[in-house]
Amino acid sequence: MKTFLKSHLEKALSSAGLSYSAEDLYFEIPKNQDHGDLSTNVAFTLAKRQKANPQAVARQILEHLQLPETLVGKPEIAGPGFINFKFKPAWYLTGVSDLLKQGQTYGRHETGRGKRVMVEFVSANPTGPLTIGHGRQAVLGDTIANLMEWLGYEVVREYYFNNAGRQMRVLGDSVRLRYLEELGDSNPFPEDYYQGEYIRDIARDLIREHGASLKTLDDVTLFKDKAESVIFEDIKNSCRRLGIHHDVYYNENSLYENGHVDGALALLREKGVIYDKDGAVWFKTTDFGNEQDKVLVKSTGEPTYRLPDIAYHIQKFKRGFDQVVDIFGSDHIATYPDVLLALKILGYDPEMITVLIHQFVTVTQAGEIVKMSTRKANFITLDWLTDEAGADVVRFFFLMRSMGAHLNFDLDLAKKETDENPVFYLQYAHARIASIIRKAEDAGELTWTAETSLAPLGNPDELDLMRLLLQFPETVYLTATHYEPHRLIVYLNELAAQFHKFYHSNYVIGVGKDLGNARLALCAATKTVLKNGFDILGITAPERM
RNA sequence: GCUCUCGUAGCUCAGCUGGAUAGAGCGCUUGCCUCCGGAGCAAGAGGCCACAGGUUCGAAUCCUGUCGAGAGUACCA
């Protein structure tokens, strides 16, 4: 709808002899419907540049603007120089017919066709169950991946993990100590070890499988491996319950085995941004405006997380991705600038990497803030939340706020308010439409197809509903390109509200065949858009509730 | 100390390259079920958009400063 007007406007501008650039042509949907369906402030932008009166410029534009009268009404100049466009019903009718023809592909785009994008998310090391914080990231990542698919990209969902290093040794030893404890040997359990009950569960598993035969084993490898496989399975299951899967689990260790870590260091060294001091290897980030140089390899010979991260991202591009999306919690906010800097030095375009930082979930219970820490075991697991609220509610809840905002999760409210959760409002609209369609078709009176004549539609409720339906493709596009899933929820909410409003004063059944069929088709169109939106969000579209 | 994110209704939050009268949900008040699903609809109360300056035709939105919240600031990840 915008591109249509845009091309006409461009013609008008050039025939009026006004110079413009593509960015000048911007349309917005006015908040106030008296201002039409679309509005442009192009007269302001051009007037500013030429130091002219915006209203005069607007008049000049309109003199040269020719639009098909069957689709668009006469544009009007309003206020200090806005140009407002109002569409005629015919525009909506053809739009909704198209919608019905496209069905479940309505809202998809081609902009990413032939391009590959990787979305990396969760990437929690297998040291414990996923928490609510991980849950937010998991749902965000999966939904952003869905959105990229709707833009036409080929998407790979990736999980990066590390099963080596100190953390994992501590994990293994934690299991070992619990194992001994369960067998009656009490040992002091260090405070910085993993305190969670799940460690004890794993230890009991080992007793079931091996009895006391591991008692004299000092090497933690077996304990570590067992913990890793049990926990990883648990993590995957937590994701699965929310409809989330990963295509690739990328092991940090493979970067060492294939020489990519050393390779990355060597490349940086060639660029002269590396030096040795105090037995460690340093990255000269101060040359690029940083306060401090960063260590890439410790004096122990062990690399810090930065170096494998750099190597990993080099591999992402070598593996042929055109675009990379990384999703981190705000606790990783300091780590990515060094990685991006290194990639830039090595000649990669940092624009190809989109780093999305989401704020943490703060959990309150009985007015108290619950602190989350995997190690302290004072955390709330994602599984628990899924048990309590259900997958749809969990997904929706994590998506409904912008990721830059802290998400306040009131547990008491989440538990007792499930009936009034906004997700039900949307799903109810879908179920209600399904019910109407069933009833109308069962009565044998009404039918609809993509060819059904929508001409009888035209009252304000119907036009408002159609207007919103036709905004869906653009909403998907904006939601995806801004990586802001909550925008789609805001839109779907508006759509559901408009449908309920339409429903209350416009009968489908019992109003005659022509109008009935047309309204039935409008219901079907609404159902399609809701369903397509739910698919992107990953929530179910119930036929009955 | 420094960096990043944030501050909008009683609460939780939207507000699209800066646009016209600042919105939604929950909670509160009041109406609406002989009729397609009342998990709904309609109406109402509720605001110095943290504060102070600046930029311009125009600021919740951009810039500077102050205050307040969160995260980061390791030879931990």
Side-chain angles (χ1 to χ4, degrees):
Chain A
M1 140 158 94
K2 287 184 184 177
T3 47
F4 173 79
L5 275 184
K6 200 166 178 171
S7 62
H8 281 83
L9 195 56
E10 280 182 6
K11 275 181 216 152
L13 287 172
S14 34
S15 74
L18 295 163
S19 65
Y20 65 95
S21 65
E23 294 118 41
D24 295 338
L25 300 176
Y26 176 74
F27 293 95
E28 63 165 19
I29 299 162
K31 280 177 262 185
N32 187 334
Q33 253 177 50
D34 294 341
H35 299 142
D37 294 304
L38 279 178
S39 174
T40 179
N41 63 345
V42 63
F44 289 98
T45 333
L46 297 184
K48 191 172 205 165
R49 204 167 303 155
Q50 302 173 0
K51 296 197 166 38
N53 182 327
Q55 289 197 16
V57 176
R59 272 195 298 276
Q60 197 183 347
I61 294 169
L62 286 198
E63 274 169 29
H64 292 83
L65 185 61
Q66 293 191 339
L67 294 168
E69 284 176 23
T70 49
L71 299 179
V72 189
K74 199 172 169 341
E76 287 173 3
I77 300 173
F82 296 100
I83 302 174
N84 296 333
F85 302 91
K86 196 163 182 64
F87 299 139
K88 293 198 168 164
W91 174 273
Y92 297 115
L93 302 185
T94 55
V96 173
S97 290
D98 279 353
L99 186 170
L100 288 169
K101 282 190 198 89
Q102 292 176 44
Q104 61 185 8
T105 64
Y106 180 67
R108 288 190 180 267
H109 293 73
E110 296 289 323
T111 45
R113 188 63 64 209
K115 292 189 199 140
R116 283 169 31 98
V117 58
M118 174 202 290
V119 182
E120 184 210 330
F121 61 106
V122 185
S123 297
N125 288 337
T127 57
L130 293 183
T131 65
I132 293 187
H134 295 122
R136 185 178 198 187
Q137 181 170 150
V139 173
L140 277 170
D142 184 57
T143 304
I144 283 166
N146 288 343
L147 283 163
M148 299 308 281
E149 283 170 347
W150 274 69
L151 287 191
Y153 287 93
E154 183 193 328
V155 178
V156 169
R157 293 162 162 83
E158 185 146 315
Y159 188 123
Y160 177 66
F161 71 100
N162 174 14
N163 59 354
R166 199 190 91 87
Q167 265 192 75
M168 293 302 288
R169 286 196 299 274
V170 170
L171 177 75
D173 209 34
S174 299
V175 172
R176 192 181 66 88
L177 289 180
R178 289 303 190 206
Y179 172 81
L180 294 174
E181 205 176 300
E182 288 290 311
L183 290 172
D185 290 6
S186 77
N187 290 283
F189 197 83
E191 200 178 313
D192 62 343
Y193 271 34
Y194 291 90
Q195 307 280 341
E197 190 60 26
Y198 63 94
I199 298 292
R200 220 178 271 281
D201 293 339
I202 295 167
R204 291 200 192 101
D205 273 4
L206 283 172
I207 292 173
R208 244 188 310 277
E209 290 162 19
H210 301 275
S213 64
L214 309 175
K215 227 171 160 175
T216 51
L217 203 59
D218 282 335
D219 183 39
V220 301
T221 307
L222 189 147
F223 295 98
K224 194 207 78 166
D225 288 349
K226 175 67 179 173
E228 181 187 333
S229 70
V230 169
I231 291 170
F232 230 134
E233 211 34 64
D234 183 63
I235 287 174
K236 288 178 186 171
N237 187 52
S238 301
C239 287
R240 205 176 299 129
R241 294 182 65 194
L242 292 172
I244 296 163
H245 77 278
H246 288 85
D247 302 305
V248 177
Y249 291 85
Y250 199 95
N251 191 337
E252 179 182 327
N253 223 30
S254 68
L255 293 167
Y256 292 95
E257 288 161 1
N258 300 326
H260 295 319
V261 174
D262 290 339
L265 188 60
L267 286 172
L268 286 169
R269 216 180 265 280
E270 278 173 30
K271 297 284 178 185
V273 293
I274 296 293
Y275 66 93
D276 300 280
K277 192 183 87 181
D278 304 332
V281 180
W282 295 74
F283 182 16
K284 232 172 157 182
T285 49
T286 46
D287 280 1
F288 305 90
N290 243 287
E291 272 185 44
Q292 262 185 319
D293 289 339
K294 303 289 170 59
V295 171
L296 291 185
V297 183
K298 299 185 235 173
S299 51
T300 60
E302 220 175 342
T304 62
Y305 60 88
R306 280 186 198 88
L307 186 54
D309 268 8
I310 292 166
Y312 177 41
H313 280 81
I314 292 172
Q315 289 310 308
K316 285 186 181 183
F317 287 121
K318 290 225 167 127
R319 287 159 63 197
F321 290 101
D322 301 287
Q323 186 67 231
V324 167
V325 180
D326 289 342
I327 303 177
F328 300 139
S330 62
D331 56 336
H332 281 62
I333 203 158
T335 78
Y336 76 91
D338 299 329
V339 174
L340 292 185
L341 178 61
L343 288 169
K344 195 176 172 187
I345 291 168
L346 295 178
Y348 294 98
D349 180 8
E351 294 288 310
M352 294 166 79
I353 303 180
T354 305
V355 178
L356 302 175
I357 306 284
H358 68 90
Q359 294 298 315
F360 270 164
V361 181
T362 54
V363 183
T364 58
Q365 188 167 31
E368 296 277 315
I369 294 174
V370 183
K371 264 281 185 189
M372 293 190 294
S373 153
T374 310
R375 185 155 302 176
K376 286 272 154 47
N378 180 20
F379 58 83
I380 294 144
T381 64
L382 182 57
D383 275 346
W384 179 86
L385 190 70
T386 310
D387 289 339
E388 292 291 318
D392 283 345
V393 172
V394 168
R395 283 196 70 118
F396 191 87
F397 212 100
F398 283 146
L399 293 173
M400 66 191 293
R401 309 265 122 100
S402 68
M403 63 183 105
H406 295 97
L407 183 62
N408 183 25
F409 209 123
D410 186 327
L411 286 181
D412 302 321
L413 213 67
K415 279 200 266 185
K416 78 177 174 212
E417 268 213 341
T418 48
D419 284 43
E420 293 172 21
N421 195 294
V423 67
F424 290 112
Y425 180 76
L426 295 184
Q427 292 182 322
Y428 180 64
H430 186 271
R432 182 180 246 180
I433 295 171
S435 167
I436 293 170
I437 293 176
R438 272 197 304 275
K439 187 156 283 190
E441 289 179 343
D442 286 353
E445 295 275 319
L446 304 174
T447 53
W448 71 273
T449 68
E451 270 73 41
T452 298
S453 168
L454 303 172
L457 303 177
N459 76 35
D461 287 340
E462 292 159 348
L463 288 176
D464 287 347
L465 187 53
M466 289 190 278
R467 182 179 298 119
L468 274 173
L469 290 173
L470 298 186
Q471 285 172 18
F472 180 67
E474 193 190 352
T475 302
V476 171
Y477 184 80
L478 289 174
T479 301
T481 51
H482 287 82
Y483 307 100
E484 291 177 337
H486 75 277
R487 287 195 189 205
L488 184 57
I489 288 186
V490 170
Y491 166 81
L492 291 173
N493 229 315
E494 258 181 76
L495 178 62
Q498 185 53 43
F499 175 77
H500 287 308
K501 188 179 177 184
F502 159 80
Y503 164 87
H504 272 274
S505 40
N506 298 275
Y507 275 79
V508 175
I509 297 166
V511 294
K513 200 161 185 185
D514 288 346
L515 181 57
N517 283 341
R519 283 187 176 161
L520 189 64
L522 180 56
C523 285
T526 308
K527 185 166 178 268
T528 297
V529 171
L530 287 173
K531 171 72 164 69
N532 291 358
F534 293 174
D535 281 351
I536 294 172
L537 299 178
I539 64 176
T540 57
E543 295 289 314
R544 300 189 156 80
M545 289 175 76

